[in-house]
Amino acid sequence: MTFHILTIFPDFFRGPLDYGIVERARRAGKLDIHIHDLRNWTQDRHRTVDDRPFGGGEGMLLKCEPIFDAVESILPGRQKGDPDRKVVLLSASGRRFDQALARDYAGLQELLLICGRYEGVDERVAQHLIDDEISIGDYVLSGGELPAAIVLDAVARLQEGVLGNSDSSVNESFSEPGLLDCPQYTRPEEFRGWKAPEVLLGGNHAHIREWRKQAAREKTARLRPDLLNS
Ligand code: 9D3
């Protein structure tokens, strides 16, 4: 799958996509990631990407011309609504990104993520250019760059052949759908007087399965009761 990220901070992405599963998949040729500097599509001497909001108000907005020009040159011939190539705006006022949307994006050939900045983006981008406007959660960040890296990671690891066996998701048989993972322990059996649960040290797998299911329910009730009441 090919990812494009459109940003005014291309250097931001040196790092977050160069480690672990994503880096390995890139080197294996299973992921293609292109970082694009929005300023490359400005026309003026100062390479202006932002301007003040009509009607007044705090802060600056990303202008529409460089964004339209960039998207049209990165995905030539693409029409809004293309089932194989989506353009998604990361914005604080988007709909919430979740695992179901990650699975949906994982079926695409190409995904272009536009990182919002400043107070936002001229609304004509949302109206006439993009396929989705998404947020990663209800907290205020400084822009769409960290969210774009998060969305890319969540989508990339769902690609065929990106996860090795040791990376889980194969591990799905361990976890109950709709519950948090059960607590897990590794050596030593006792650390500072705190023992790993006895049941996990024996070989009774029916007993272990029952303990894990119960522990996952208790942990979910304590940390994510919202998952139980839906
Ligand atoms: C008037 C309120 N604004 C500032 C408090 C709204 C606002 C504008 C731009 C808040 C954050 C931002 C920058 N954030 C993003 O572009 C962003 C974001 C986020 O802040 N939280 C969760 N997901 C995302 S995706 C993009």
Side-chain angles (χ1 to χ4, degrees):
M1 179 171 175
T2 299
F3 292 86
H4 301 277
I5 297 179
L6 184 60
T7 174
I8 59 167
F9 296 128
D11 291 341
F12 183 95
F13 296 92
R14 319 231 154 276
L17 307 175
D18 296 338
Y19 296 94
I21 292 168
V22 169
E23 191 273 344
R24 198 190 328 144
R26 290 179 84 171
R27 266 195 296 143
K30 286 166 185 147
L31 293 179
D32 215 351
I33 303 176
H34 302 277
I35 311 299
H36 306 273
D37 185 346
L38 180 63
R39 289 189 203 278
N40 291 342
W41 286 275
T42 54
Q43 308 285 350
D44 63 310
R45 215 159 50 84
H46 297 109
R47 310 185 89 199
T48 309
V49 290
D50 61 328
D51 209 337
R52 293 158 44 208
F54 285 136
E58 289 293 299
M60 303 289 272
L61 301 177
L62 284 177
K63 296 163 62 62
C64 49
E65 301 101 308
I67 296 179
F68 273 77
D69 287 346
V71 169
E72 287 162 3
S73 92
I74 294 165
L75 299 178
R78 167 247 172 208
Q79 301 279 331
K80 185 169 149 73
D82 184 328
D84 300 318
R85 300 150 61 178
K86 274 198 206 290
V87 177
V88 173
L89 174 65
L90 284 308
S91 108
S93 39
R95 95 164 136 132
R96 176 79 65 83
F97 178 70
D98 61 10
Q99 190 65 20
L101 201 50
R103 277 188 224 105
D104 180 29
Y105 292 164
L108 296 169
Q109 277 165 21
E110 281 185 280
L111 176 62
L112 194 169
L113 300 169
I114 304 174
C115 305
R117 267 281 151 182
Y118 310 116
E119 273 312 293
V121 180
D122 186 300
E123 188 65 15
R124 287 166 289 196
V125 168
Q127 287 176 315
H128 303 295
L129 183 64
I130 64 172
D131 299 292
D132 278 329
E133 178 172 354
I134 63 172
S135 150
I136 60 162
D138 293 340
Y139 31 80
V140 180
L141 301 171
S142 317
E145 279 76 10
L146 279 168
I150 284 166
V151 169
L152 191 153
D153 188 278
V155 175
R157 62 193 298 288
L158 297 176
Q159 295 299 300
E160 203 65 54
V162 164
L163 287 185
N165 285 4
S166 62
D167 296 323
S168 308
S169 129
V170 179
N171 227 331
E172 228 97 84
S173 55
F174 260 24
S175 51
E176 290 278 312
L179 292 183
L180 300 181
D181 285 346
C182 64
Q184 301 196 79
Y185 299 84
T186 185
R187 294 187 294 177
E189 286 182 21
E190 182 175 338
F191 170 70
R192 298 188 179 176
W194 302 305
K195 294 194 169 90
E198 198 65 43
V199 52
L200 301 177
L201 306 177
N204 187 337
H205 292 286
H207 197 179
I208 289 171
R209 209 171 314 120
E210 210 35 58
W211 181 89
R212 283 183 165 155
K213 190 191 290 185
Q214 190 50 35
R217 286 188 189 134
E218 283 166 16
K219 187 163 181 175
T220 307
R222 183 161 48 85
L223 298 180
R224 292 294 305 277
D226 57 302
L227 295 178
L228 296 174
N229 312 318
S230 57

